[in-house]
């Protein structure tokens, strides 16, 4: 099977991108590598992550161009790097149909809520204000409507008494860092079939066991940092 080559689009902190790179380094993710990071923000921490892991990167700002022109440049770069799967990881722009059509079922996003609840920005704040007792995170294929594509993986996370947006966001982020890689591995292993809104996951018991065993390596790595109070790990 050809290696799944990721093209990551990120605007800021890049902790999901970092977790994916850690999962590659720890051999949790198999048959997956990162081809390029594209950011729209020259100040993005994600650039430091890319440098650390030796992932080529490009900073592309839209400037005065219209969206399609901007995305044509992004597309060109993704092609130059042989990207087979686009990963939106905190990319703060709405992707237009141009790019979505070019990466139909080959573009994923992570959202910090249990979709279809709390779409759009500030999902954790919306969940708190609504008073839900359980929220979480969702990895989905990207479709033309924002945060509405077919759902691949979801993870529930409890809301606790006294939570702030910060504490809830951190609790969710721990699981974002796990489930994004799981969704990528399922895709890379050809375990996902999309029919309309539904994603059929064809992972048998042996796949699940194998994933659990490998994922343990990442969880241990994550827990070490969590003991020091770090959900976003230092880049080292
Ligand atoms: C994450 O909470 C993700 O769910 C949302 O944007 C945030 C990005 O964080 N789409 P990071 O840049 O990956 O640290």
């Amino acid at each position: 099977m050809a290696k799944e080559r990721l093209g990551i689009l990120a605007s800021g902190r890049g902790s999901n991108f970092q977790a994916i790179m850690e999962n590659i380094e720890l051999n949790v993710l198999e048959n997956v590598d990162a081809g390029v990071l594209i950011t729209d923000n020259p100040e993005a921490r994600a650039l430091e992550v890319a440098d650390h892991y030796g992932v080529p990167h490009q900073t592309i700002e839209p400037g005065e161009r219209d969206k399609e022109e901007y995305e044509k440049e992004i597309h060109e770069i993704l092609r130059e790097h042989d990207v087979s799967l686009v990963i939106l990881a905190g990319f703060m722009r709405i992707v237009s149909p141009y790019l979505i059509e070019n990466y139909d079922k080959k573009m994923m996003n992570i959202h910090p809520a249990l979709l279809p609840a709390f779409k759009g920005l500030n999902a954790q704040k919306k969940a708190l204000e609504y008073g839900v007792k359980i929220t979480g995170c969702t990895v989905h294929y990207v479709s033309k409507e924002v945060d509405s594509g077919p759902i691949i993986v979801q993870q529930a996370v409890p809301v606790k008494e006294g939570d702030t947006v910060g504490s809830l966001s951190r609790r969710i982020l721990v699981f974002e860092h796990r489930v994004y890689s799981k969704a990528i591995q399922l895709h890379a292993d050809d375990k996902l079939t999309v029919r309309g809104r539904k994603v059929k996951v064809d992972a048998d018991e042996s796949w699940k066991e194998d994933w659990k065993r490998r994922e343990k390596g990442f969880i241990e790595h994550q827990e070490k940092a969590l003991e020091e109070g770090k959900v976003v790990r230092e880049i080292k």
Side-chain angles (χ1 to χ4, degrees), residues 212-226:
K212 233 183 179 168
R213 182 183 53 74
R214 301 207 311 268
E215 191 194 32
K216 231 179 178 177
F218 175 74
I219 294 175
E220 280 166 15
H221 164 76
Q222 200 182 33
E223 279 173 352
K224 255 185 242 156
L226 285 174

Side-chain angles (χ1 to χ4, degrees), residues 10-18 45-46 88-92 109-113 124 137-138 147 169 172-173 176-177 180 232:
S11 300
R13 189 174 56 186
S15 76
N16 276 288
F17 170 37
Q18 182 179 351
R45 178 181 174 277
L88 303 182
F91 188 59
M92 297 309 284
N109 181 44
I110 187 154
H111 185 73
Q124 302 94 329
C137 49
T138 303
D147 295 331
S169 301
I172 296 171
L173 197 60
E176 290 187 43
H177 292 171
Y180 217 165
V232 176

Side-chain angles (χ1 to χ4, degrees), residues 6 14 16 25 27 29-30 40 47 53 63 68 82 89 105 107 126 131-132 134 141 152 166 170 176 184 198 226:
L6 310 180
N16 276 288
E25 196 171 73
N27 298 315
L29 276 171
E30 285 179 349
D40 57 345
L47 287 165
Y53 288 100
E68 186 159 328
D82 290 323
K105 319 284 185 310
M107 186 187 291
K126 288 176 188 162
V132 293
I134 296 171
Y141 284 117
I152 303 166
R170 284 191 291 276
E176 290 187 43
I184 291 167
K198 291 184 190 156
L226 285 174

Side-chain angles (χ1 to χ4, degrees), residues 33-201:
D33 67 12
V36 66
L37 164 80
I38 299 175
T39 182
D40 57 345
N41 171 15
E43 307 288 323
R45 178 181 174 277
L47 287 165
E48 292 168 43
V49 177
D51 275 334
H52 178 78
Y53 288 100
V55 177
H57 55 75
Q58 300 244 7
T59 304
I60 327 254
E61 292 172 276
E64 301 294 295
R65 285 175 288 183
D66 67 28
K67 206 162 207 161
E68 186 159 328
E69 287 308 310
Y70 177 58
E71 289 189 359
K72 276 189 176 153
E73 190 177 348
I74 293 180
H75 188 198
E76 203 44 52
I77 296 164
L78 293 171
R79 274 210 299 240
E80 276 165 25
H81 290 273
D82 290 323
V83 165
S84 53
L85 180 64
V86 177
I87 298 295
L88 303 182
F91 188 59
M92 297 309 284
R93 290 175 192 281
I94 293 172
V95 180
S96 79
Y98 172 77
L99 210 54
I100 295 171
E101 276 162 16
N102 274 287
Y103 291 92
D104 185 32
K105 319 284 185 310
K106 292 187 170 71
M107 186 187 291
M108 288 182 186
N109 181 44
I110 187 154
H111 185 73
L114 291 178
L115 290 171
F118 314 124
K119 294 178 183 177
L121 291 174
N122 304 317
Q124 302 94 329
K125 182 166 184 270
K126 288 176 188 162
L128 267 185
E129 285 173 358
Y130 200 89
V132 293
K133 305 292 188 204
I134 296 171
T135 180
C137 49
T138 303
V139 183
H140 63 91
Y141 284 117
V142 175
S143 66
K144 289 178 194 166
E145 242 182 283
V146 176
D147 295 331
S148 300
I151 290 170
I152 303 166
V153 187
Q154 293 189 296
Q155 172 70 50
V157 175
V159 179
K160 295 187 179 169
E161 205 60 51
D163 256 341
T164 60
V165 174
S167 64
L168 180 58
S169 301
R170 284 191 291 276
R171 193 175 308 119
I172 296 171
L173 197 60
V174 170
F175 293 95
E176 290 187 43
H177 292 171
R178 297 179 192 174
V179 295
Y180 217 165
S181 287
K182 184 178 184 184
I184 291 167
Q185 190 69 68
L186 284 166
H187 179 96
D189 291 350
D190 224 2
K191 301 291 179 198
L192 304 175
T193 318
V194 185
R195 288 199 198 100
R197 280 217 45 80
K198 291 184 190 156
V199 178
K200 187 165 178 279
V201 182

